[in-house]
Amino acid sequence: SQQGEEDPQALSIQEGENATMNCSYKTSINNLQWYRQNSGRGLVHLILIRSNEREKHSGRLRVTLDTSKKSSSLLITASRAADTASYFCATESKETSGSRLTFGEGTQLTVNP
Amino acid sequence: KAGVTQTPRYLIKTRGQQVTLSCSPISGHRSVSWYQQTPGQGLQFLFEYFSETQRNKGNFPGRFSGRQFSNSRSEMNVSTLELGDSALYLCASSWNSGARTEAFFGQGTRLTVV
């Protein structure tokens, strides 16, 4: 079963607006990663934030992590039609050895031109 | 640097058959993980291989198996295919196991079981 939950499940905005997606998880984590997926294709890695970090930026992306609330948010600023995709958060648990990601259910973002 | 390569991209098989999927990780990466993605269950972890050994295993039946070669390439096998095995199978590559670094995914293999 999925550890993470993302909300909203679907988000529709106009080009130029900001998009915010949230992710919650259940266990203690080493890091949290965000991915983008276009129409059932492969996952594109966007950003990784470690458990001892609170905020991270990469271009138009801003990720926050609140380990006390077991939640993270992904903000995409000045969105473009090309940002239309599904976005997933994935956590790596402290309780697991090796590499194993647990994914959220994803947010479908639609950016209208 | 080439990304993660999965072959084939698409596959159609009949119930009861078996299938083998291949994944070549990013050069220098030694950990390969496999995931199944379906509309109903989302992205589910299958297993991870590192140094030709299975490090982790998800909650899938024994019909799902894998292996890793000395060059870090990995294969995943599904025997006695069922309709419910229809899914996108994704392979992820990391430079080390448990390194807590980014995992990079391939484009996936779309398996359809009829």
Side-chain angles (χ1 to χ4, degrees), chain B residues 1 9 12 15 23 30 34 47 50 61 72 82 89 103:
Chain B
K1 207 181 215 183
R9 289 292 308 279
I12 299 176
R15 264 184 309 176
C23 172
R30 297 162 62 199
W34 290 89
F47 28 64
F50 175 76
S72 294
E82 300 176 1
Y89 289 88

Side-chain angles (χ1 to χ4, degrees), chain B residues 88-100:
Chain B
L88 180 66
Y89 289 88
L90 293 161
C91 160
S93 155
S94 302
W95 80 271
N96 206 345
S97 179
R100 317 307 186 192

Side-chain angles (χ1 to χ4, degrees), chain A residues 15-54:
Chain A
E15 229 173 6
E17 293 181 339
N18 295 340
T20 300
M21 288 159 268
N22 302 298
C23 164
S24 63
Y25 56 91
K26 295 176 182 173
T27 64
S28 295
I29 62 171
N30 282 301
N31 63 61
L32 185 146
Q33 304 182 50
W34 284 91
Y35 290 88
R36 184 186 75 228
Q37 184 178 43
N38 291 85
S39 285
R41 302 186 66 182
L43 297 172
V44 175
H45 188 272
L46 296 176
I47 197 164
L48 178 151
I49 186 165
R50 301 191 186 283
S51 59
N52 60 353
E53 297 176 309
R54 290 296 166 258

Side-chain angles (χ1 to χ4, degrees), chain B residues 15-69:
Chain B
R15 264 184 309 176
Q17 286 187 313
Q18 74 165 11
V19 67
T20 300
L21 313 182
S22 179
C23 172
S24 292
I26 292 170
S27 178
H29 283 196
R30 297 162 62 199
S31 169
V32 174
S33 299
W34 290 89
Y35 294 82
Q36 181 196 65
Q37 186 178 29
T38 59
Q41 297 298 313
L43 282 149
Q44 302 271 323
F45 173 80
L46 280 155
F47 28 64
E48 179 206 3
Y49 284 87
F50 175 76
S51 291
E52 302 176 61
T53 303
Q54 188 179 86
R55 284 288 316 262
N56 275 299
K57 190 176 190 308
N59 296 324
F60 279 83
R63 300 185 296 107
F64 291 82
S65 63
R67 59 177 175 168
Q68 187 180 36
F69 302 94

Side-chain angles (χ1 to χ4, degrees), chain A residues 33-106:
Chain A
Q33 304 182 50
W34 284 91
Y35 290 88
R36 184 186 75 228
Q37 184 178 43
N38 291 85
S39 285
R41 302 186 66 182
L43 297 172
V44 175
H45 188 272
L46 296 176
I47 197 164
L48 178 151
I49 186 165
R50 301 191 186 283
S51 59
N52 60 353
E53 297 176 309
R54 290 296 166 258
E55 189 172 309
K56 205 163 182 180
H57 296 81
S58 177
R60 294 185 296 115
L61 305 179
R62 172 178 169 253
V63 168
T64 62
L65 178 64
D66 187 333
T67 52
S68 66
K69 294 181 180 177
K70 290 186 167 60
S71 67
S72 174
S73 68
L74 171 67
L75 167 68
I76 303 174
T77 60
S79 63
R80 306 165 182 167
D83 294 328
T84 294
S86 292
Y87 291 81
F88 295 90
C89 68
T91 55
E92 199 163 42
S93 171
K94 281 186 176 177
E95 297 159 17
T96 304
S97 62
S99 298
R100 174 176 183 160
L101 295 174
T102 300
F103 283 86
E105 295 170 355

